[in-house]
Amino acid sequence: MDAQVTPLLARIDARERELGTAADQLRTQIDELAARLRELDEEIGNLAVTRKTLLALPPTAPDPADPPPVLPAHPAYQQILGAFADAAGPMRARDLCERLDLAVMPKNIESTRHKLKRLVSLGVLAEREPGLFARRRP
C-alpha cells in the first residue's frame, strides 16, 4: 500500500469510530426522550380522564348550615347574575359582555372574567370548563 494512503486510512478509521460513538450516544438519548415522552403522554391522558370524571359528578348540595355568600356591592355583579338568570345555558365572558351591552374589548372581557371568577370563588356560579360559566345547580 502507498505510504501516503495509509495515514489517510487511519484517520478515516478514527473518524468513523468517533462518529459511531456519537451516533450511539444520540440513539441512547433518543430512547430516553421517547420513554419520557410516553410517560408525559400517559399523564396527560390520566388528567383528561380525571377532568372528565369530575365534570360528570353531580354537584354537591350546599350545606344548609353555611350562610349564603355575601355578594360584592358593585352593581355589575347584580347585572351579571341577572344575565345568568335569563340565560339558557353557560356563557363565556365575551358572551356576557355582549348580553350586558358592553363593548367587546379586551379590557371589558378581562374585567368581566375577573368578576365571574370571583362569583365562582363565592360559590354563586360554577365554571363548567375553563372559561365557561354557569349558574350553580341547587
Side-chain angles (χ1 to χ4, degrees):
M1 192 168 295
D2 190 335
Q4 291 178 339
V5 174
T6 302
L8 288 174
L9 291 175
R11 287 177 55 193
I12 289 172
D13 288 342
R15 183 65 179 149
E16 278 180 327
R17 283 190 300 277
E18 286 175 21
L19 293 175
T21 301
D24 289 342
Q25 289 172 347
L26 286 175
R27 283 186 194 92
T28 301
Q29 288 178 343
I30 288 170
D31 291 342
E32 291 169 355
L33 289 171
R36 180 68 179 131
L37 181 58
R38 282 190 299 275
E39 291 171 2
L40 293 174
D41 284 340
E42 183 178 337
E43 189 172 344
I44 289 169
N46 291 341
L47 290 171
V49 168
T50 302
R51 174 183 287 113
K52 187 175 180 179
T53 302
L54 289 174
L55 290 172
L57 291 174
T60 57
D63 185 350
D66 289 341
V70 177
L71 296 177
H74 196 280
Y77 289 94
Q78 295 305 320
Q79 292 172 333
I80 289 170
L81 293 177
F84 273 99
D86 297 337
M91 287 189 283
R92 298 193 179 279
R94 179 184 187 89
D95 302 329
L96 191 56
C97 284
E98 290 172 353
R99 184 172 277 236
L100 297 176
D101 292 327
L102 296 172
V104 180
M105 299 171 42
K107 71 176 189 170
N108 290 341
I109 294 170
E110 286 306 313
S111 174
T112 302
R113 183 176 292 115
H114 175 75
K115 288 176 179 69
L116 291 168
K117 294 273 188 181
R118 185 157 185 210
L119 290 170
V120 168
S121 71
L122 292 171
V124 176
L125 295 179
E127 191 170 9
R128 299 280 182 244
E129 62 183 55
L132 189 64
F133 301 89
R135 291 177 51 177
R136 190 169 288 283
R137 297 181 191 134

